[in-house]
Amino acid sequence: MRNLLIFSFISLFLISCQKEEQKEQANEPIVMEGDAYGSTFRIVYYSYDKNFNKEVQEILEEFDHSVNTYIPTSILTKFNESENGSSADRMLLELFTISRNYNTKTNGFYDPSVSPLSDLWGFSSKGIKHSPTEQQVDSVMKFIGLKNISILENSLSKTDPRVALSFNAITGYVNDEVAKFLDSKKVESYLIEIGGEMIAKGKKPNGDAWTIGIDEPIENAEERVLNSVLELNNEAMATSGNYRKFHIDEETGQKIVHTMNPKTGYPEVSPLLSASVIAPSCAEADATATALMAMGLDKALEYIPTRPELKFYLIWSDENGKFMNKAFNGFELKKNDAE
C-alpha cells in the first residue's frame, strides 16, 4: 500500500510537471518567417501540442506550384500559355470560383483576367519605355473579362490564347488556407501575415490582442512609417495601394500605377492612395481592397455603403497633397493613432 501511495505521488508529480511544461511552451510563440510571392511572410502561433511548420510550409509550396506565375512550371502558367485551356488543381479551381464571386460583389472592379493589361502597361519582366496607344489598349480589352473562361470538370477553358489570369491581388487566399489548417489542429491563437495580408485568431496567452499597423502611403520610403494601428480580432485584413508599385513613362513623365481599371483598360488615376479592408476571409479582404483602388476615390466612397458587412479605411491626398483618412463601418483604430 505504501509503495502504491509513493507511485501515485510520483505519477501526480510527473503529470503536474508535464502540465507546467506545456503551459510554459504555450506561452512561447512558434514563429515562421521567410520569402514568398515576391514579398515576405511571418506566421506566429501558440501551440504546446505540436510544431506545424512543416505542414504550413507544404501549404505555401502547394500554392506556389498551383498559381505562382513567376514559376514556369506552375499550373496557372501552363493555363496562361495554353491555346484553349488546361487541367487545373484544387487551388486553381477554388481561386477561380471565388474570384467570379468577388468580381460580382465588386461590380467587376476586381478582375484577375487583367493580367494582359498589366503586361501591356509594363508590369512584367519586359517593362516598357512609353505608354501603349489607344489602339493597343482596345486590342487587349477584347480578351479581358471572366466571361472568356469556363470550368470544364477538372480544367479551365478559354476563348482566346491571349486570355490569362493572375491571382496576385488575392494571395490572401493562402492565408485562409493556413488558417484553416491551424484551426483543424485546434490552434487557438495565431497571426498569419503573408505579403502584407493578415488574418488573426484569438489573443496571446497574456491576454493581449494581435496589434497590426497600416503604413503611411509614402513613395520610395526608406523606412516604414505607420499611419495607424489597430487590433485584429478573429478577422482578416488586407491593404492595397499605388504608392509602391509604379513606374514613370520616359517620354511624358507620367506616373503609371499598377492597379488596372478592368472597365477602361487604363491604370486608375485617383487621389486614393491606400485602401484597407477587414473581412471574414483574407481572400475577400484582398480582392475588395484591390477593387477599391481600381474604382478610384469617388466610386470607392459610393461603393462602401453598399457593403455594411465589411470594414474599410481609406487614405487619400487632397488638392494640396495633404494625407486625409477616414474609417467606415466600425473600422476601429487605436486612440491617438489616426490623427
Side-chain angles (χ1 to χ4, degrees):
M1 182 67 176
R2 184 170 179 273
N3 288 340
L4 180 61
L5 289 172
I6 292 173
F7 177 77
S8 298
F9 173 77
I10 293 173
S11 297
L12 289 171
F13 176 76
L14 290 174
I15 291 171
S16 177
C17 289
Q18 185 180 29
K19 287 183 176 179
E20 282 299 316
E21 183 179 355
Q22 289 179 338
K23 186 177 180 181
E24 289 179 5
Q25 289 175 344
N27 287 329
E28 290 297 320
I30 298 173
V31 181
M32 286 185 69
E33 293 180 303
D35 297 321
Y37 324 124
S39 185
T40 60
F41 73 89
R42 189 171 193 268
I43 301 171
V44 183
Y45 62 97
Y46 291 87
S47 170
Y48 58 79
D49 184 38
K50 186 181 177 183
N51 181 308
F52 300 111
N53 288 9
K54 178 178 179 292
E55 293 88 340
V56 170
Q57 185 63 41
E58 288 173 353
I59 294 172
L60 299 180
E61 290 173 359
E62 181 185 1
F63 185 76
D64 251 349
H65 173 69
S66 178
V67 298
N68 192 335
T69 54
Y70 293 99
I71 297 178
T73 57
S74 77
I75 296 172
L76 183 56
T77 298
K78 292 178 181 178
F79 168 80
N80 288 344
E81 294 177 349
S82 70
E83 291 291 318
N84 303 306
S86 60
S87 61
D89 66 345
R90 174 188 69 87
M91 281 191 171
L92 177 52
L93 291 173
E94 284 184 1
L95 272 164
F96 180 71
T97 300
I98 64 175
S99 289
R100 285 194 303 192
N101 181 30
Y102 298 147
N103 177 263
T104 300
K105 285 186 174 183
T106 61
N107 302 325
F109 281 98
Y110 165 69
D111 191 335
S113 73
V114 298
S115 181
L117 278 175
S118 296
D119 292 344
L120 180 66
W121 285 94
F123 294 96
S124 69
S125 58
K126 296 179 181 179
I128 59 171
K129 291 186 177 181
H130 54 81
S131 300
T133 65
E134 183 178 347
Q135 290 75 18
Q136 288 175 315
V137 173
D138 289 343
S139 67
V140 172
M141 285 295 289
K142 293 177 182 177
F143 49 93
I144 301 300
L146 297 185
K147 64 183 183 298
N148 298 308
I149 306 166
S150 302
I151 296 177
L152 295 177
E153 295 183 351
N154 293 321
S155 65
L156 289 178
S157 68
K158 57 184 180 179
T159 59
D160 189 290
R162 295 168 294 180
V163 171
L165 291 169
S166 171
F167 295 108
N168 291 342
I170 196 173
T171 57
Y173 167 88
V174 76
N175 297 56
D176 296 330
E177 289 292 292
V178 173
K180 289 175 187 175
F181 169 77
L182 293 179
D183 289 344
S184 74
K185 298 302 179 181
K186 311 301 182 186
V187 176
E188 298 295 330
S189 177
Y190 55 70
L191 177 64
I192 302 164
E193 185 270 314
I194 304 175
E197 279 63 66
M198 306 181 191
I199 185 167
K201 180 180 180 180
K203 296 182 182 294
K204 299 176 185 178
N206 63 3
D208 289 347
W210 294 103
T211 301
I212 62 175
I214 298 174
D215 288 347
E216 194 86 292
I218 302 173
E219 294 180 4
N220 302 317
E222 295 183 2
E223 295 183 1
R224 184 182 184 190
V225 178
L226 289 181
N227 173 276
S228 51
V229 176
L230 67 148
E231 295 178 351
L232 206 58
N233 298 302
N234 300 316
E235 298 169 307
M237 191 190 85
T239 297
S240 183
N242 280 328
Y243 57 96
R244 284 181 179 154
K245 294 182 182 180
F246 65 89
H247 55 252
I248 304 298
D249 186 310
E250 292 183 6
E251 290 184 354
T252 65
Q254 178 187 4
K255 177 181 176 182
I256 302 173
V257 298
H258 79 285
T259 302
M260 297 292 125
N261 185 329
K263 296 178 181 290
T264 65
Y266 287 80
E268 183 58 42
V269 179
S270 162
L272 184 60
L273 301 174
S274 171
S276 298
V277 179
I278 292 178
S281 75
C282 212
E284 181 160 23
D286 204 1
T288 308
T290 298
L292 292 175
M293 296 304 302
M295 293 176 193
L297 181 60
D298 292 339
K299 286 187 174 64
L301 291 172
E302 294 174 1
Y303 175 78
I304 286 172
T306 70
R307 301 297 304 279
E309 75 279 16
L310 304 181
K311 303 173 184 178
F312 301 87
Y313 181 67
L314 303 184
I315 305 174
W316 67 94
S317 60
D318 65 12
E319 61 275 9
N320 297 315
K322 180 182 178 181
F323 288 161
M324 309 294 290
N325 56 57
K326 187 174 182 179
F328 304 82
N329 299 354
F331 194 113
E332 294 185 7
L333 302 170
K334 294 187 72 174
K335 290 182 179 180
N336 299 324
D337 286 309
E339 297 298 331

